[in-house]
Amino acid sequence: MGFAALGFSGSCVSVRDYYHQSNVKFQSFTLKQRFGVVGFRLVKNFKDYKNLGRVSLCKHEFIEFEERTSPNEVRKEIEECYKLIHRIGRGVVYLGSSRMGPGHPHYTQTLELGREIANLLDCSTWTGAGPGLMDAAIKGALQAGKPIGGFKIGKEAGEWTTSKFHPYLPSETYLTCRFFSARKHGLVDAAVRKSNSDKTAVVAVPGGVGTLDEMFEILALIQLKRIGSELPVPFIVMNYDSFYAKLLDFLDDCEDWGTVSKGEVSSLWKICDTNSDALAYLAEFYDLPFLEKGKHEIELRSSPERVP
C-alpha cells in the first residue's frame, strides 16, 4: 500500500492511496509528533488504514514515522558504543556473512580462527553480534574463554531479524544500534590501538554487501592514515577457498586502469588462504611465539572436508 500526500487542509492532511485509488484523511501532526516518533489515526470511514505507514510529501521524498529526528540521537548512540569498548577492551574485529550457518565449512573455519586468535593475542573479540560467521567468531572466542563485545543492528540479513536481543550473549556485552553510522564507529574504534600493549586486528572472513561495505570503509581509513598512523593495525582478509579471488582480480584491474597505484591496496591488508597463515602473520606482527606444531594442527582442523 502506497500513500502520497495531496495537500493539507485545516487539521488534516489529505493522502492518496495508490492501491485502492481513494483519498484518506489523517489527523494533523502536533509539533511534538513532527519532531518525535510520529503516529497518526484515520477518520472513522477508513478503518482499514489504521497501521502506521509512509507518506510521500513530495515527488520522491519519503519520511519514515520512526526515523531519527536529531543528530544528537546518533551522537548519543556513538557514545554508548565507546563506553562499551572502554568497558570490554579493544581487540580483534571480525567482519563476515550473516548467512553462512553452522553447516557451512567457512563457519567451522571462522570458529576455529576466532578461538586461536583470541588465545594467541589474549584479547577481546568484536563482531556485529549477528548470525552466520559473526556467530562463529563469537563461539570461538567463548571456547577460548576470552571477552566478547558486539554491535548488533536491528535489521540483520538472515536470522534474528525480529529481536533487538542476542539469543545467548549477556546484554552487557553488546549494544543494539539503531543507526549504522554508530555501529560502524564502534566496529572501527574497537580495533584502534591506543598503546603498544594493545593487540588488535581487523579480520574479514567471507561475506556479502554489508561485509564489503565495512571492509572498504576500513581500508580507506587505513589508506588515509585515519587508522594506524601511529600504531599500525593488521588487516587480514581470509580468502577461504579463493572466495575473494575475483575481488582481488578486480583490484588488480583498478591498478591497470590507474584508479589505484601499483601495490597500493596490497600494502594495506594481508591476504590469507588458511587459518595458520593468519595466525603466523599475527604472531610475526606482534612478535609472539607461534609453534610450527600448532600451526600444522590448526591447518588440518581448518581445512574443510571434501568429498572425492
Side-chain angles (χ1 to χ4, degrees):
M1 177 165 58
F3 294 115
L6 300 181
F8 296 88
S9 175
S11 63
C12 295
V13 54
S14 180
V15 178
R16 182 72 174 174
D17 174 6
Y18 289 128
Y19 184 78
H20 292 88
Q21 295 297 313
S22 58
N23 289 334
V24 183
K25 286 186 177 181
F26 298 105
Q27 287 185 346
S28 64
F29 308 132
T30 64
L31 185 62
K32 179 179 179 181
Q33 289 171 321
R34 287 181 184 176
F35 295 96
V37 175
V38 180
F40 54 79
R41 292 180 299 159
L42 304 180
V43 294
K44 294 181 180 179
N45 293 334
F46 298 97
K47 293 181 179 179
D48 292 336
Y49 298 96
K50 286 187 176 180
N51 294 327
L52 290 174
R54 296 175 95 180
V55 174
S56 175
L57 300 181
C58 58
K59 289 183 180 179
H60 300 294
E61 294 179 357
F62 287 88
I63 292 181
E64 290 286 354
F65 285 172
E66 293 184 348
E67 197 173 26
R68 65 173 177 258
T69 56
S70 167
N72 289 332
E73 294 181 31
V74 183
R75 177 180 56 80
K76 289 177 182 178
E77 191 164 277
I78 292 173
E79 289 175 352
E80 291 301 313
C81 292
Y82 290 162
K83 289 177 183 178
L84 183 64
I85 295 167
H86 179 74
R87 188 168 70 248
I88 295 176
R90 290 177 168 82
V92 177
V93 174
Y94 290 85
L95 314 174
S97 172
S98 63
R99 302 171 190 261
M100 293 178 172
H104 199 285
H106 293 169
Y107 184 97
T108 303
Q109 291 171 294
T110 302
L111 186 151
E112 294 184 347
L113 182 66
R115 181 184 64 236
E116 299 300 332
I117 288 181
N119 280 324
L120 177 68
L121 301 186
D122 189 24
C123 65
S124 60
T125 292
W126 290 88
T127 72
L133 301 190
M134 290 178 283
D135 182 56
I138 290 170
K139 288 182 176 175
L142 289 175
Q143 288 181 6
K146 304 302 180 182
I148 301 291
F151 299 105
K152 194 179 185 307
I153 195 70
K155 296 180 180 180
E156 189 71 69
E159 305 171 22
W160 308 343
T161 58
T162 58
S163 173
K164 294 181 179 180
F165 303 101
H166 193 279
Y168 60 83
L169 286 179
S171 60
E172 65 270 15
T173 63
Y174 68 93
L175 178 69
T176 299
C177 299
R178 289 177 59 200
F179 310 115
F180 266 103
S181 55
R183 187 197 198 197
K184 287 184 174 184
H185 271 280
L187 289 172
V188 169
D189 192 68
V192 174
R193 298 172 64 203
K194 295 296 185 180
S195 69
N196 285 316
S197 61
D198 286 336
K199 295 181 178 61
T200 71
V202 177
V203 178
V205 292
V209 173
T211 302
L212 292 172
D213 172 41
E214 293 160 347
M215 285 173 61
F216 279 96
E217 178 177 25
I218 292 176
L219 188 72
L221 291 172
I222 294 174
Q223 178 193 41
L224 298 174
K225 300 188 183 301
R226 305 307 297 269
I227 296 177
S229 59
E230 295 184 6
L231 295 171
V233 177
F235 186 179
I236 297 174
V237 177
M238 298 307 303
N239 192 31
Y240 293 143
D241 299 316
S242 301
F243 181 87
Y244 284 115
K246 291 185 178 179
L247 174 64
L248 299 174
D249 289 342
F250 166 74
L251 293 173
D252 287 341
D253 289 341
C254 288
E255 290 187 358
D256 295 337
W257 284 100
T259 54
V260 297
S261 301
K262 292 289 184 182
E264 181 179 12
V265 175
S266 61
S267 68
L268 302 176
W269 58 20
K270 174 68 174 179
I271 309 300
C272 295
D273 294 328
T274 66
N275 288 352
S276 59
D277 291 342
L279 290 163
Y281 173 72
L282 287 173
E284 180 182 3
F285 189 94
Y286 286 113
D287 193 22
L288 299 170
F290 182 57
L291 300 178
E292 290 297 320
K293 178 181 177 181
K295 175 180 176 180
H296 179 65
E297 290 176 352
I298 292 163
E299 188 167 334
L300 287 176
R301 288 199 306 266
S302 64
S303 298
E305 295 182 4
R306 298 186 182 277
V307 179

